[in-house]
Amino acid sequence: MAKKKEHILVIVESPAKSKTIKKILGNTYDIEASYGHIRDFPPKVLGFDVQNGFTPSFEVIPEKKAVVKKLNDMAQKADKVYLASDPDREGEAIAWHVRQVIKVPDEKVYRIEFNEITPKAVTYAVEHSRQIDMSRVKAQQTRQILDRLVGYKISPVLWEKMRNYHLSAGRVQSVALRMICEREEEINAFTPVEYWTISADLLKDKAKFTAELAKYKNAKLDVKTEEEANKIVKYLKENDRTFNVSKITTRNTQRKPTAPFITSTLQREASNKLGYGVSKTMQIAQKLYEGIDIGTDGPVGLITYMRTDSVRISDDAQAAAKDFITNNYGENYYPKTPNNYVKKSKNVQDAHEAIRPSYVDKTPDSIKQYLTNEQYQLYKLIWSKFVASQMENASVKNTTIDIEAGDCLFKAGMSKITFEGYLKVYNESDEKEDTSKLPDLKEGDNLKLKEVLPKQHFTSPPPRFTEASLVKALEEHGIGRPSTYASIITKIQQKNYVEKIEKALAPTALGTTLCKQLVEHFKDIMNYEFTANMETKLDDIAEDKLVWNEVIKDFYTPFIETVTNAKQNMQRVLIESDTLCPNCGSKMVVRTSRFGTQFLGCSKYPECKTMLPLNKDGTAPEQPKETDEKCEKCNSPMIQKVGPYGPYLECTNEECKHRKRIIKSTGVKCPKCGDGEIVFKKSKYGKVFFACNNYPKCDFVSWYEPVNEKCPECGSILVKKITKKAKKLECSNKECSFSKEMEEE
């Protein structure tokens, strides 16, 4: 008699995984999602018993009751239940919570985990199922309890002392805020220092090249003032100074590939190369991991698990990479011994692999039609980085020319890639081969001076953190873990403690004030080393080296004492602005609505209830200005005000209140209708564009600012195109390729 097939239930976190896993395991398996966490601490209470060893109590999240009922019904009908949540501590905790709510015997429940959703990985996980790892679960619960303690004990103190601002404190987010605030202090305290560089345009026969002054009177160039620079320039120009090639040095170097991505490096590279924020990168990566439908192959998990700090890759992945590289690029592009990488830092969770493509033969371009543009760009980044990490070094020939002119030593150089190696696939720094060609020079050659070019510079302050550089700083300090970086950066922005200014993170007035209070009254919580040490202790709990509630106990007693002292010693705080109340003349202060929006309110509230909006940069709005304009409806004087869409005119007659926008003109005639002028406009998303003021009669529109100059090739108007790398005037006619450098304004 044929053996009856077992009916098996696999419970995953996300429904997006279900189709991918179902395709692998077949119809005898039911795949169902828990949709993330199903239980949490009860709301508005600590949720754990301080007197009873910090024992936590959990309850089903109200919105998940239907999910829990469905999981229970399915589990009771199944012969086996596999808990297949993500392969990290949070995934382990989710598996444990699911186990607590499904009413089936222990012998029916198994934990499985896989680093990639491929047939081999999933099948292996099913064949090597295990019990839930309670050490990992306790480490995750300890993090939750510590975060809950900080939030529930410090936040009420902040509400009392800074009651206008609806504040809350996070254990790790507060330290990230401190980093941003301290960087801002460095920038504000920075004093620029003047220095000068000197270069020379030199000629060998008719070939021109540039050399930089490296030494003056046998000392490294250190010119601080224009007077010193002019003295050297004069010296070089006098008496037909000879410029002689004294030495030519050639050196061959190897440029090595770096490890495949981990979470932090992926977030940084996606920010730098693609302009994606940390949260956006992780959302896209999650979809690539869970599976994308790629035509006849159905749903396929394209990358390995994206929350990892390990640079290790499996033997199978390394062998597949070798085959791909030798078959597609040639034997000489694969190193004599495979490239292996080790992350030189403590607390690396090496059970995971680095982030890599699940199938190296699925090249980005071969599946591009099935991906969104953002998915394609991120997959290409991950795929290219992994393949490059397994390739041979690049070979580079570096040439340095020493040129003597009396007491001055100039240097010129160039580099030439003699073998591409991994650079054929991926360039970490986006460095290109040096295109500044040198003429054919020999030692002893005499050169002719064409021009000496002194240039003034000033030292720059340290840059503000971007999301990418903040992730790097957090990682270097040992603060947070791969799964937490995105939420840390998102929360401090959502709470309006930090804002983005040209992609850089700057503290708001609220964030600066909050940070100052936290550093003064909660020194340990805001201490980098203390926070990093706590991460180490959580790692030790996960490895069963420390007892979870002993760690909390050691934290709890001094922490409660700190909270008590803060209640007694912290003074009431208001963030004053420079704006005076238009009704009573008192100082206006920054306040926060219950929806998180900041505004200015009179410091005499509730006696005076005047409120004013607050600009995004934390400054007060411009006060109304008198103008010479008369209202076109009632002939009353009009005043200029500033609204969310820019300046506008408003009638002073209370019964009229007619408004009209102030339109800024470019002074360029519309090339389409010939009658109107091109004016500045703003889209509903705040992006500036340029259009004819005769709209809707004329529909001319451009994203680039036009100028009063016509293309010499086709007669169309030219537009300004400004990027980080260049400022150009380009033809507005898309079929014309004319462009030229913009003159400095």
Side-chain angles (χ1 to χ4, degrees):
M1 185 175 176
K3 185 179 178 182
K4 180 189 171 186
K5 285 188 176 180
E6 288 185 313
H7 181 66
I8 299 173
L9 172 65
V10 180
I11 300 177
V12 296
E13 283 181 59
S14 162
K17 286 184 189 176
S18 302
K19 290 181 181 179
T20 316
I21 297 174
K22 180 79 172 177
K23 187 188 78 168
I24 294 170
L25 293 178
N27 292 328
T28 57
Y29 290 77
D30 282 334
I31 319 294
E32 191 58 42
S34 69
Y35 294 85
H37 287 278
I38 58 168
R39 297 202 305 173
D40 200 357
F41 293 123
K44 299 181 181 179
V45 294
L46 272 178
F48 46 89
D49 189 346
V50 175
Q51 305 304 322
N52 188 25
F54 300 93
T55 304
S57 58
F58 297 98
E59 59 182 40
V60 174
I61 299 168
E63 308 90 76
K64 294 294 183 71
K65 287 183 178 178
V67 173
V68 169
K69 183 180 185 307
K70 185 175 183 180
L71 293 177
N72 238 317
D73 292 344
M74 296 180 74
Q76 289 170 21
K77 294 174 185 175
D79 297 307
K80 287 182 181 178
V81 178
Y82 289 134
L83 305 175
S85 43
D86 285 344
D88 55 18
R89 290 179 205 161
E90 191 165 359
E92 203 73 21
I94 289 173
W96 179 78
H97 282 294
V98 171
R99 174 67 196 97
Q100 300 308 300
V101 300
I102 55 173
K103 299 177 175 64
V104 294
D106 285 342
E107 58 268 21
K108 284 177 61 173
V109 183
Y110 303 87
R111 169 76 167 121
I112 63 172
E113 64 175 355
F114 32 82
N115 190 54
E116 57 185 344
I117 306 177
T118 60
K120 183 173 182 178
V122 174
T123 304
Y124 181 88
V126 170
E127 291 171 354
H128 296 79
S129 59
R130 59 172 173 80
Q131 297 302 305
I132 291 172
D133 186 338
M134 288 308 299
S135 294
R136 284 200 212 173
V137 175
K138 293 301 182 186
Q140 178 63 19
Q141 286 183 6
T142 304
R143 181 186 291 279
Q144 282 183 282
I145 290 171
L146 290 170
D147 290 346
R148 190 90 164 183
L149 262 175
V150 170
Y152 271 56
K153 293 297 183 181
I154 294 182
S155 296
V157 179
L158 298 175
W159 297 338
E160 180 186 344
K161 306 299 183 180
M162 300 177 69
R163 65 179 59 175
N164 294 304
Y165 306 110
H166 298 276
L167 300 173
S168 61
R171 185 177 62 86
V172 183
Q173 296 96 294
S174 298
V175 179
L177 173 63
R178 179 181 179 179
M179 285 184 178
I180 294 167
C181 289
E182 287 182 341
R183 176 59 59 86
E184 197 72 12
E185 288 174 7
E186 287 181 60
I187 293 168
N188 292 334
F190 182 81
T191 303
V193 176
E194 181 184 7
Y195 70 98
W196 288 72
T197 58
I198 298 172
S199 59
D201 282 350
L202 302 170
L203 295 173
K204 167 68 188 299
D205 298 328
K206 292 185 179 180
K208 188 184 85 167
F209 68 99
T210 302
E212 300 291 330
L213 181 59
K215 287 185 177 181
Y216 179 58
K217 294 186 176 179
N218 292 320
K220 185 179 177 182
L221 189 68
D222 184 20
V223 179
K224 300 292 188 186
T225 66
E226 184 176 10
E227 184 181 0
E228 293 176 47
N230 288 338
K231 181 180 176 182
I232 296 173
V233 171
K234 182 181 177 183
Y235 172 79
L236 289 167
K237 287 182 175 180
E238 68 187 10
N239 301 326
D240 291 326
R241 182 78 54 200
T242 58
F243 285 74
N244 179 263
V245 177
S246 59
K247 186 179 179 183
I248 298 177
T249 307
T250 301
R251 189 165 59 98
N252 294 315
T253 59
Q254 298 282 301
R255 199 180 294 177
K256 297 180 179 180
T258 54
F261 286 127
I262 58 176
T263 302
S264 61
T265 54
L266 175 64
Q267 290 171 345
R268 281 152 41 195
E269 199 80 339
S271 174
N272 294 332
K273 286 185 180 289
L274 305 178
Y276 296 169
V278 168
S279 292
K280 181 175 182 176
T281 297
M282 297 311 288
Q283 288 166 7
I284 299 168
Q286 181 88 34
K287 291 177 181 175
L288 294 173
Y289 165 68
E290 290 175 343
I292 302 289
D293 194 322
I294 56 171
T296 55
D297 286 347
V300 174
L302 292 175
I303 64 169
T304 53
Y305 193 54
M306 63 284 158
R307 295 186 182 93
T308 176
D309 54 8
S310 170
V311 293
R312 184 181 65 81
I313 63 167
S314 68
D315 293 340
D316 287 347
Q318 202 163 56
K322 179 180 180 180
D323 289 344
F324 183 87
I325 292 164
T326 55
N327 291 336
N328 288 274
Y329 302 109
E331 296 279 349
N332 58 332
Y333 279 86
Y334 192 79
K336 292 182 175 61
T337 57
N339 294 334
N340 291 303
Y341 300 91
V342 177
K343 189 163 185 279
K344 296 177 182 178
S345 63
K346 58 182 180 177
N347 305 325
V348 175
Q349 298 171 32
D350 206 46
H352 294 166
E353 285 189 63
I355 304 169
R356 60 168 176 81
S358 303
Y359 307 92
V360 72
D361 59 329
K362 294 191 186 304
T363 64
D365 287 340
S366 71
I367 58 171
K368 184 176 182 179
Q369 60 182 312
Y370 305 109
L371 306 176
T372 66
N373 182 56
E374 290 174 343
Q375 289 169 347
Y376 167 74
Q377 295 293 347
L378 193 68
Y379 180 66
K380 184 180 180 183
L381 198 68
I382 293 167
W383 184 92
S384 302
K385 177 76 164 174
F386 168 69
V387 173
S389 77
Q390 299 304 299
M391 293 177 75
E392 180 60 276
N393 298 343
S395 298
V396 183
K397 180 182 178 182
N398 299 295
T399 303
T400 304
I401 313 293
D402 286 6
I403 301 161
E404 291 184 357
D407 291 334
C408 296
L409 176 66
F410 285 83
K411 285 185 179 287
M414 71 174 187
S415 61
K416 181 178 177 61
I417 296 170
T418 55
F419 175 66
E420 285 180 298
Y422 76 94
L423 293 175
K424 192 172 186 68
V425 175
Y426 190 81
N427 190 345
E428 289 92 342
S429 59
D430 282 334
E431 289 179 12
K432 296 180 180 178
E433 184 174 351
D434 191 347
T435 54
S436 56
K437 302 291 184 184
L438 294 174
D440 185 18
L441 297 170
K442 299 181 183 63
E443 290 184 4
D445 280 351
N446 288 321
L447 308 171
K448 184 177 180 182
L449 175 65
K450 186 175 191 313
E451 190 175 3
V452 183
L453 305 165
K455 190 171 183 180
Q456 183 186 38
H457 306 269
F458 291 92
T459 54
S460 301
R464 283 175 169 151
F465 284 111
T466 61
E467 288 193 1
S469 60
L470 182 60
V471 166
K472 184 179 181 182
L474 289 168
E475 185 184 33
E476 287 173 348
H477 281 88
I479 295 167
R481 284 296 179 262
S483 60
T484 64
Y485 298 138
S487 63
I488 290 169
I489 292 172
T490 300
K491 283 179 182 176
I492 57 177
Q493 292 179 75
Q494 286 177 341
K495 292 176 179 178
N496 208 27
Y497 303 156
V498 168
E499 63 181 340
K500 268 190 184 174
I501 300 176
E502 296 179 350
K503 296 187 179 181
L505 300 172
T508 61
L510 179 61
T512 302
T513 306
L514 172 63
C515 180
K516 184 178 178 182
Q517 296 302 314
L518 289 174
V519 169
E520 183 178 347
H521 297 284
F522 298 95
K523 289 184 172 63
D524 281 348
I525 295 299
M526 297 295 283
N527 182 277
Y528 299 153
E529 189 174 348
F530 180 87
T531 307
N533 286 340
M534 188 58 71
E535 293 289 355
T536 303
K537 290 178 180 179
L538 293 173
D539 293 339
D540 289 341
I541 293 169
E543 295 172 15
D544 204 20
K545 294 177 182 176
L546 286 177
V547 179
W548 71 275
N549 51 4
E550 290 294 328
V551 171
I552 298 175
K553 182 181 176 183
D554 291 343
F555 172 84
Y556 182 80
T557 304
F559 172 68
I560 293 301
E561 185 178 332
T562 300
V563 172
T564 303
N565 290 337
K567 285 180 181 177
Q568 296 170 353
N569 300 323
M570 189 185 289
Q571 302 298 311
R572 287 285 306 278
V573 179
L574 286 173
I575 305 173
E576 288 190 346
S577 75
D578 295 328
T579 304
L580 298 179
C581 176
N583 288 333
C584 71
S586 303
K587 281 268 191 182
M588 301 288 280
V589 297
V590 180
R591 299 181 187 272
T592 306
S593 74
R594 59 193 179 96
F595 303 109
T597 306
Q598 289 191 346
F599 63 95
L600 290 179
C602 183
S603 57
K604 295 297 183 183
Y605 179 86
E607 290 83 9
C608 179
K609 297 180 179 179
T610 303
M611 293 184 292
L612 293 173
L614 195 61
N615 296 332
K616 285 185 178 180
D617 60 1
T619 59
E622 289 184 29
Q623 297 303 303
K625 297 177 183 176
E626 293 183 3
T627 71
D628 296 329
E629 292 269 347
K630 297 290 184 182
C631 177
E632 57 199 42
K633 291 192 173 181
C634 70
N635 206 38
S636 299
M638 299 191 84
I639 55 174
Q640 181 179 320
K641 290 186 172 183
V642 179
Y645 301 103
Y648 65 94
L649 295 173
E650 182 178 271
C651 180
T652 53
N653 183 346
E654 290 293 331
E655 294 179 2
C656 177
K657 285 294 183 185
H658 171 62
R659 293 181 177 184
K660 87 174 179 181
R661 291 180 62 188
I662 297 175
I663 299 174
K664 182 181 174 185
S665 174
T666 63
V668 178
K669 280 278 185 185
C670 177
K672 191 166 187 178
C673 69
D675 295 326
E677 278 193 353
I678 307 302
V679 296
F680 288 76
K681 289 202 170 185
K682 264 189 183 179
S683 72
K684 63 178 180 179
Y685 301 109
K687 188 172 181 180
V688 173
F689 67 98
F690 303 89
C692 179
N693 64 352
N694 277 342
Y695 179 84
K697 289 181 181 178
C698 177
D699 61 358
F700 174 84
V701 68
S702 170
W703 287 113
Y704 302 108
E705 182 181 351
V707 296
N708 268 320
E709 189 175 343
K710 290 189 176 181
C711 174
E713 294 183 7
C714 73
S716 301
I717 63 167
L718 299 181
V719 295
K720 295 179 182 179
K721 196 162 186 182
I722 300 172
T723 65
K724 289 181 180 178
K725 296 181 179 178
K727 297 180 180 180
K728 293 184 177 182
L729 289 178
E730 291 190 356
C731 183
S732 58
N733 180 358
K734 293 180 180 178
E735 296 178 1
C736 178
S737 59
F738 175 79
S739 72
K740 69 174 185 177
E741 295 293 322
M742 274 178 61
E743 294 179 7
E744 289 296 327
E745 295 181 356

